Amino acid sequence: MSDDALTLREQLRTARLRYADSAAELGTLLRLRGELTEAERLLRQAVEIYEAERTTTEELA
């Protein structure tokens, strides 16, 4: 795999984790406001991203 592909892969990984972090944070805030349906959707999405990342990281090790 070329250095460019590795760099792009790392950038994509970083962007996905930042999105998951933001979704988790927003989901928590929405839960505190009582907007449970939207909070649950965001929190589940964040968990899916974290789990996928963990699986990918374990496969690369």
Side-chain angles (χ1 to χ4, degrees):
M1 190 176 305
S2 72
D3 287 342
D4 288 342
L6 287 173
T7 300
L8 183 57
R9 179 173 283 191
E10 187 60 30
Q11 288 173 349
L12 180 58
R13 177 183 178 271
T14 299
R16 286 178 52 81
L17 288 173
R18 284 183 182 162
Y19 175 79
D21 289 345
S22 296
E25 193 171 328
L26 181 56
T28 300
L29 293 172
L30 288 171
R31 183 185 59 80
L32 292 172
R33 290 181 48 118
E35 299 178 37
L36 303 180
T37 302
E38 186 64 18
E40 182 179 4
R41 185 184 70 77
L42 286 169
L43 290 168
R44 286 183 184 277
Q45 192 172 22
V47 168
E48 287 176 15
I49 292 169
Y50 292 137
E51 288 177 343
E53 179 58 36
R54 187 188 73 225
T55 302
T56 302
T57 302
E58 289 173 355
E59 289 173 356
L60 294 174

